[in-house]
Amino acid sequence: MIDVRSLSFAYGTSKVLCGLSFDIEEGGLTALLGSNGAGKTTLFRCMLGLLPGYEGSLTLDGKEIRRYGARELSRRIAWIPQSQSLTFNYPAFDMVLMGTAGQMGPFSSPGKRQRRAAMEAMERLGIAHLAKRGFLHLSGGERQLVLVARALAQQAKTLLMDEPCASLDFGNQSRVMAQAHDLAHGGYTVIMSTHHPQHALSYADRVIALSGGRLLRSGAPEKVMDEELMRSLYGIETAFLDSPMGRIVVAGRPA
């Protein structure tokens, strides 16, 4: 469980998070909604222990994030970035295997247990056939799934996903979101930032909406997502419609 109480953070004199309070229970998919600069990335960085100078309280499983060592925290939280810039074209399997680094000593090499964990992660996501392919030769959706597999190989039960569908085409967005949903209902706690309200509406169990570093709303998508919230977050008019595929959000054409 992640418990956030009166969390604030500032870069110098610029306050980015302002008194956030909420909790995230184990399991399920939580979507962070908000425009650019709303504080989503800063919140993630606090959760990852990268910004220990916050005010307030941020606990994971009852222990303050600042009290975790890096190795101990890596066993609990895994980070899945939007993309990965590489100089060398590592095989996809080697990319996933990097997620096991926290399980070894500083001068150790991956053994059978780590290699097994990496392959099991790829098999779980249905990408074992990509094991020998160069990461730079994969499609955007395949790369994102490799990064998810790397987080699974880390064997942490909380996954932080930073805009996992950024720059992906429509089909790959659906594939990545389906995997995130399955993981969230298969023993993982998934916290995902997104600029796609439809992803939150279709896949999330809970939405946390941020604006200007402050909490606007928190709760089940069908209860907290409406035209007023979209207007507050993004400054546009929207409509929520029922369809055979579920509830959808449609943006109006700007004046």
Side-chain angles (χ1 to χ4, degrees), residues 71-93:
R71 187 177 294 271
E72 184 184 8
L73 190 59
S74 73
R75 297 191 186 104
R76 296 175 179 270
I77 296 184
W79 166 250
I80 302 168
Q82 293 180 30
S83 61
Q84 182 78 58
S85 298
L86 294 176
T87 301
F88 300 104
N89 190 26
Y90 294 105
F93 178 79

Side-chain angles (χ1 to χ4, degrees), residues 198 201-202 240-249:
Q198 187 61 52
L201 192 60
S202 297
F240 285 76
L241 309 173
D242 291 320
S243 80
M245 300 296 288
R247 195 155 175 80
I248 60 174
V249 55

Side-chain angles (χ1 to χ4, degrees), residues 180-191:
H181 179 271
D182 289 348
L183 290 170
H185 293 266
Y188 290 87
T189 301
V190 180
I191 307 170

Side-chain angles (χ1 to χ4, degrees), residues 16-237:
V16 181
L17 300 178
C18 307
L20 298 181
S21 291
F22 59 85
D23 57 67
I24 298 175
E25 297 286 346
E26 291 184 8
L29 195 160
T30 297
L32 293 181
L33 287 180
S35 61
N36 289 331
K40 302 186 299 297
T41 299
T42 298
L43 176 58
F44 273 172
R45 289 174 64 83
C46 289
M47 290 180 176
L48 290 164
L50 300 175
L51 297 175
Y54 57 79
E55 298 177 358
S57 174
L58 175 53
T59 63
L60 172 63
D61 297 332
K63 182 176 178 179
E64 185 71 35
I65 289 286
R66 284 180 288 218
R67 294 179 56 199
Y68 281 101
R71 187 177 294 271
E72 184 184 8
L73 190 59
S74 73
R75 297 191 186 104
R76 296 175 179 270
I77 296 184
W79 166 250
I80 302 168
Q82 293 180 30
S83 61
Q84 182 78 58
S85 298
L86 294 176
T87 301
F88 300 104
N89 190 26
Y90 294 105
F93 178 79
D94 289 355
M95 287 291 295
V96 176
L97 191 60
M98 292 177 189
T100 66
Q103 305 168 19
M104 301 175 291
F107 303 107
S108 300
S109 298
K112 290 183 179 180
R113 184 166 63 88
Q114 286 76 30
R115 299 181 72 84
R116 183 170 59 251
M119 183 52 69
E120 287 175 352
M122 298 188 78
E123 289 172 349
R124 178 165 187 164
L125 297 178
I127 57 172
H129 63 287
L130 302 176
K132 296 181 179 180
R133 292 267 303 275
F135 183 78
L136 299 180
H137 294 158
L138 303 178
S139 70
E142 289 169 339
R143 290 186 189 186
Q144 192 62 37
L145 290 177
V146 167
L147 296 179
V148 174
R150 184 176 67 179
L152 298 188
Q154 189 174 322
Q155 298 185 338
K157 285 301 184 180
T158 298
L159 308 178
L160 302 186
M161 306 181 76
D162 183 16
E163 297 180 33
C165 295
S167 303
L168 297 186
D169 63 37
F170 185 68
N172 279 322
Q173 288 183 31
S174 296
R175 294 181 187 97
V176 170
M177 288 307 306
Q179 291 289 0
H181 179 271
D182 289 348
L183 290 170
H185 293 266
Y188 290 87
T189 301
V190 180
I191 307 170
M192 172 193 74
S193 66
T194 180
H195 283 303
H196 297 278
Q198 187 61 52
H199 291 167
L201 192 60
S202 297
Y203 295 98
D205 301 291
R206 184 182 180 189
V207 166
I208 294 175
L210 303 180
S211 179
R214 300 181 185 278
L215 179 67
L216 284 189
R217 295 187 190 177
S218 175
E222 64 273 15
K223 293 183 178 180
V224 302
M225 293 182 66
D226 56 22
E227 291 86 350
E228 181 183 350
L229 179 64
M230 296 299 99
R231 193 180 304 117
S232 297
L233 292 179
Y234 306 111
I236 59 172
E237 296 300 321

